[in-house]
Amino acid sequence: MGWKMQYKDKVWEKEGNLLEVIKKEGLEGRVFGAKINGVFSDLNVYPPDGSLVELLDWENEEGRNIYRHTSAHILAHAVKELFPEVKLGIGPAIEDGFYYDFYRKEPFSQEDLEKIENKMKEIINRNLPIERIEVTREEAIKILRDLKEDFKLELLEEIPEGEKISFYKQGSFMDLCRGPHLPSTSWVKAFKLLSVSGAYWRGDEKNPMFQRIYGTSFPSEEELKKYLEEREEAQRRDHRKLGRELEIFNTFEEAGPGLIFYPPKGAMLRLIIEEFERKEHLKRGYLPVITPHLMQAELWKRSGHWDNYRENMFFLQVEDKDYAVKPMNCPGHILIYNSKVRSYRDLPLRFFEMGTVYRYERSGVLYGLERARGFTQDDAHIFCTQEQLEDEIKGVLDFVFYMLDSFGLKEYMVTLSTKPEKYIGSDEIWEKATQALKNALESTGIEYRIAEGEGAFYGPKIDVGLKGLLGKMWQGPTIQVDFNLPERFDLTYDAPDGTKRRPVMIHRAILGSYERFIGILVEHYGGRFPLWLAPEQVRILPISERHNEYAEYVLRNLRNNDIRAEIDKDQAKLNYKLRKAIAEKVPYIFIVGDKEKEENKVSVRVHNKDLGMFDLAYVVTKLLEEIRSKKVFSGGFD
């Protein structure tokens, strides 16, 4: 009878061994796994008659994961051959590569990584078949005890009764694994080990510390080379590195992990962003509110955070009452809404706050500005009628894309998440809310994907992921429809017919957290901000001490026009001061000496480019034009 094989838009009628069919069709090395009737599978199988077999290649995330998970097994195989005493942890594929965790007392050195890489190449060249072996639980326990893999035994205990238990074997190496995998080790064509770091077993600080070796792999050397070049650029732009070098942010051990400090340049950058966004909120009819950082626990019990989010909150006790530091701003906005009777004439009501919140994150997952324990959100909550919902969502989307465009962020991925299995509210209102989100998205013409069943229990949502270096997605703007909190807090408004009705609540953030957004901007621009955003827009370099007075005159002129400028009065040579200003990525550099002073001019440089000498008044005019236009790059006066 045979089975059907689907690859891209083509469907074949086939029979026999899937791997042999793939080889005959010339797809060897292009296809890495399959779905048989929707279930992931290795290639070296005989699909049941009547099956639909979907082939997975590098364009499929699942195909990439199979390729890279096999690469992780080759890494573990190499480590076990070189260091037999090492205990195995886990080795998954990740977004741009793979890792494997190893328990070993001695740290892996750079020399060790080179040995492991060479051993991996040797294992690949052996062209070892990769075989799936299914066993009983008792057999699995015996295998792992014989291998002395204590941590794998712990993982085995978590496999539910009745679920198949499988190992994958390549040569002398065996590993407990669900799979699937490539047919043989030689299918991995290009790889590179990248780094080693510490990681607690199962992510718990109470457990032993493992060593995590990271790597990446690709179907060709060309793709690997391109990735490594991009990775080098990403490392140069890493916001954690640049943020400290350019004095954008600090963290201090004595203050506590995940708490962000902004020195003057970082504080200036944040104030520029906040002020721009505050004005845009007011233009769009939002009303500013300010809520406390600390509120009684009873409020968080009513909101549901006590039961569902408690492990991520900070608590303290005052006068025998429990308080919580706010992880979110919404309950405070709800109290303000409920502080007086609301009419349909008041709606839509849009409250916004630059609200600082605190959430407990394990120290192991903290990551610079991207993931912190304290951060400030450009948070707003819109209270509206069901009839107003679609227009309000359209307004938020218009705001989102206007702001992203203003900051020069053009690459993003929009996702609409729909009703999950567990939800509150009627099916009718869910349908209305989801359709309102869809209609609003389609009115923008922006492409979006639907994540079926991935909405929050309280309502559907739109998320905008901002694309960073190496294809990394940063969490950005979000729009969430909420039926839960209006119900919990008994929110009402007086309807035209005199009845009390429940408003719909929209949670939305335009930029997200300021911390994360600043991290995005640092990496996006490599620290070389457009003029309107630059904390320091102009650096004035007097050639010698006798030119300081004229430099001060230029400084006053610039500051009187709201241009952010500083003078470098260091007695070092001009070339040193020039290199320093370029390294600190100041957009414009003004050099002043005898000739500039005599003619009331300045010599202008943009990074490494000499633009020439200009009248000071002309330069000020051109700078103000560039600031107003929000041009992405400073490139001169044409």
Side-chain angles (χ1 to χ4, degrees):
M1 181 179 172
W3 37 268
K4 289 184 179 179
M5 183 171 78
Q6 180 179 332
Y7 182 54
K8 302 191 184 298
D9 296 328
K10 189 175 179 182
V11 177
W12 296 268
E13 295 280 351
K14 294 293 177 183
E15 58 183 22
N17 181 278
L18 175 57
L19 180 58
E20 293 304 317
V21 168
I22 284 171
K23 289 178 178 178
K24 286 177 184 176
E25 294 292 337
L27 296 174
E28 184 176 359
R30 290 164 56 191
V31 170
F32 308 124
K35 275 185 183 178
I36 301 178
N37 297 325
V39 178
F40 291 116
S41 171
D42 301 305
L43 294 178
N44 196 10
V45 295
Y46 288 83
D49 285 346
S51 300
L52 175 63
V53 179
E54 302 171 69
L55 301 185
L56 305 173
D57 62 11
W58 192 255
E59 293 177 13
N60 307 109
E61 181 182 356
E62 299 97 332
R64 292 193 297 275
N65 286 346
I66 292 167
Y67 190 94
R68 285 171 166 163
H69 187 42
T70 300
S71 305
H73 271 225
I74 294 171
L75 164 60
H77 187 170
V79 169
K80 289 293 283 185
E81 284 201 5
L82 290 167
F83 310 99
E85 76 285 359
V86 165
K87 305 289 186 187
L88 298 179
I90 59 171
I94 54 177
E95 187 176 356
D96 57 353
F98 59 89
Y99 68 78
Y100 212 109
D101 289 343
F102 302 98
Y103 181 68
R104 182 182 186 234
K105 291 180 181 179
E106 300 82 12
F108 288 114
S109 64
Q110 187 58 44
E111 184 179 331
D112 289 334
L113 289 188
E114 290 171 9
K115 288 179 182 176
I116 295 167
E117 263 197 3
N118 289 332
K119 180 61 71 172
M120 288 176 69
K121 290 174 184 174
E122 182 186 315
I123 291 166
I124 289 169
N125 289 334
R126 289 180 203 164
N127 189 21
L128 299 172
I130 300 175
E131 179 186 2
R132 178 183 174 92
I133 303 170
E134 293 186 1
V135 298
T136 65
R137 186 172 296 272
E138 292 70 26
E139 288 170 332
I141 291 170
K142 183 179 185 309
I143 291 169
L144 292 173
R145 282 178 177 166
D146 290 345
L147 292 172
K148 299 180 181 179
E149 294 292 356
D150 304 333
F151 298 101
K152 290 289 185 179
L153 276 166
E154 187 178 323
L155 295 177
L156 176 64
E157 290 173 7
E158 296 183 4
I159 298 176
E161 288 291 339
E163 186 175 316
K164 288 180 179 178
I165 297 172
S166 59
F167 285 79
Y168 277 81
K169 185 176 187 297
Q170 54 195 49
S172 60
F173 177 76
M174 280 186 74
D175 199 358
L176 178 71
C177 183
R178 286 191 179 94
H181 280 278
L182 299 176
S184 84
T185 59
S186 67
W187 281 48
V188 174
K189 300 300 181 185
F191 76 94
K192 179 70 179 174
L193 297 185
L194 302 172
S195 63
V196 61
S197 66
Y200 289 108
W201 173 239
R202 317 302 294 276
D204 189 335
E205 294 96 330
K206 297 175 184 175
N207 288 337
M209 175 68 78
F210 275 58
Q211 294 182 67
R212 177 170 293 177
I213 298 179
Y214 286 94
T216 192
S217 57
F218 288 86
S220 71
E221 290 290 348
E222 293 76 15
E223 289 166 289
L224 175 62
K225 181 182 177 185
K226 181 183 176 185
Y227 169 83
L228 293 175
E229 289 171 352
E230 289 175 350
R231 187 171 184 270
E232 282 185 23
E233 178 63 18
Q235 289 173 335
R236 285 192 289 270
R237 291 180 178 230
D238 190 319
H239 78 277
R240 296 168 300 171
K241 171 178 175 287
L242 278 180
R244 287 170 173 79
E245 289 176 359
L246 300 178
E247 299 178 27
I248 302 297
F249 79 97
N250 297 109
T251 55
F252 299 104
E253 281 188 25
E254 52 266 52
L259 300 174
I260 306 301
F261 290 75
Y262 291 98
K265 287 183 180 179
M268 179 60 73
L269 173 61
R270 178 163 155 174
L271 287 172
I272 293 162
I273 297 168
E274 283 187 17
E275 186 56 30
F276 172 51
E277 195 180 14
R278 184 177 289 109
K279 288 178 179 177
E280 291 300 326
H281 273 94
L282 295 174
K283 284 181 190 177
R284 289 166 167 79
Y286 285 82
L287 302 173
V289 296
I290 299 174
T291 60
H293 290 239
L294 192 67
M295 289 179 267
Q296 288 192 84
E298 286 304 316
L299 181 69
W300 302 104
K301 289 177 182 178
R302 189 174 182 186
S303 71
H305 290 93
W306 184 273
D307 293 328
N308 300 304
Y309 204 72
R310 191 176 180 182
E311 68 275 9
N312 296 102
M313 297 172 66
F314 294 98
F315 297 94
L316 68 159
Q317 200 170 62
V318 181
E319 296 177 347
D320 296 324
K321 286 189 177 291
D322 290 321
Y323 282 76
V325 182
K326 66 176 179 180
M328 297 173 187
N329 300 298
C330 26
H333 293 193
I334 286 170
L335 292 181
I336 294 173
Y337 178 92
N338 254 352
S339 65
K340 58 188 285 190
V341 175
R342 304 291 180 179
S343 163
Y344 71 94
R345 295 185 181 89
D346 300 324
L347 306 184
L349 195 56
R350 309 180 188 106
F351 292 154
F352 85 94
E353 176 178 16
M354 310 304 187
T356 302
V357 298
Y358 299 89
R359 300 177 186 175
Y360 171 66
E361 301 274 10
R362 291 182 182 275
S363 57
V365 302
L366 297 174
Y367 189 84
L369 295 174
E370 184 178 354
R371 198 156 185 177
R373 287 181 176 169
F375 52 92
T376 303
Q377 296 174 306
D378 60 340
D379 211 357
H381 295 90
I382 301 171
F383 304 88
C384 64
T385 68
Q386 289 186 35
E387 293 75 21
Q388 294 167 336
L389 182 59
E390 185 174 324
D391 284 340
E392 288 305 302
I393 295 167
K394 285 179 180 178
V396 175
L397 285 171
D398 176 74
F399 196 175
V400 164
F401 295 120
Y402 171 79
M403 293 297 287
L404 295 183
D405 187 62
S406 296
F407 287 99
L409 300 173
K410 307 291 187 185
E411 293 188 86
Y412 37 76
M413 182 175 73
V414 182
T415 302
L416 169 61
S417 299
T418 62
K419 185 172 64 180
E421 285 187 24
K422 294 183 179 180
Y423 62 93
I424 66 162
S426 68
D427 289 337
E428 180 186 6
I429 195 171
W430 266 89
E431 179 57 34
K432 284 183 178 179
T434 305
Q435 194 59 50
L437 290 168
K438 281 183 180 177
N439 291 346
L441 279 171
E442 286 167 10
S443 73
T444 67
I446 297 288
E447 288 187 10
Y448 67 95
R449 71 180 187 94
I450 295 179
E452 295 286 356
E454 293 185 20
F457 76 94
Y458 53 77
K461 61 176 182 169
I462 293 171
D463 290 309
V464 182
L466 303 177
K467 189 175 180 182
L469 300 167
L470 293 176
K472 171 184 172 185
M473 298 303 294
W474 293 74
Q475 182 181 328
T478 185
I479 308 167
Q480 303 174 1
V481 179
D482 187 354
F483 312 128
N484 178 45
L485 291 181
E487 195 72 36
R488 280 180 176 264
F489 284 90
D490 193 27
L491 302 189
T492 62
Y493 66 90
D494 292 338
D497 62 4
T499 61
K500 294 282 188 184
R501 294 189 188 171
R502 191 81 71 209
V504 181
M505 188 174 174
I506 302 172
H507 305 251
R508 50 104 293 198
I510 300 299
L511 303 179
S513 83
Y514 283 118
E515 282 68 22
R516 184 179 290 129
F517 191 72
I518 288 170
I520 292 169
L521 291 179
V522 169
E523 293 192 0
H524 180 72
Y525 289 112
R528 184 168 286 123
F529 300 109
L531 186 62
W532 76 280
L533 275 177
E536 181 184 351
Q537 295 169 317
V538 178
R539 177 81 56 86
I540 305 165
L541 307 182
I543 291 175
S544 68
E545 192 173 358
R546 71 176 186 273
H547 303 116
N548 284 352
E549 185 179 347
Y550 180 62
E552 291 282 359
Y553 165 76
V554 173
L555 179 70
R556 287 194 300 274
N557 199 306
L558 292 172
R559 288 183 174 175
N560 287 340
N561 284 281
D562 294 325
I563 296 170
R564 298 180 291 277
E566 301 290 342
I567 300 175
D568 186 346
K569 292 183 179 179
D570 195 319
Q571 293 306 299
K573 291 184 178 180
L574 178 63
N575 281 342
Y576 171 80
K577 294 195 289 185
L578 188 57
R579 287 195 302 271
K580 182 182 173 189
I582 292 170
E584 293 176 8
K585 304 184 189 298
V586 181
Y588 282 94
I589 302 165
F590 290 180
I591 299 170
V592 295
D594 292 335
K595 190 172 183 181
E596 287 82 6
K597 180 180 177 180
E598 289 169 12
E599 300 181 22
N600 201 39
K601 293 183 176 181
V602 290
S603 292
V604 182
R605 292 185 68 106
V606 179
H607 312 306
N608 291 314
K609 184 180 177 184
D610 187 352
L611 299 183
M613 193 163 68
F614 302 91
D615 289 332
L616 180 57
Y618 172 79
V619 169
V620 168
T621 299
K622 299 304 286 184
L623 291 182
L624 291 174
E625 286 176 4
E626 185 174 336
I627 291 167
R628 280 192 294 269
S629 72
K630 293 186 170 60
K631 283 170 61 177
V632 172
F633 288 113
S634 308
F637 297 148
D638 29 78

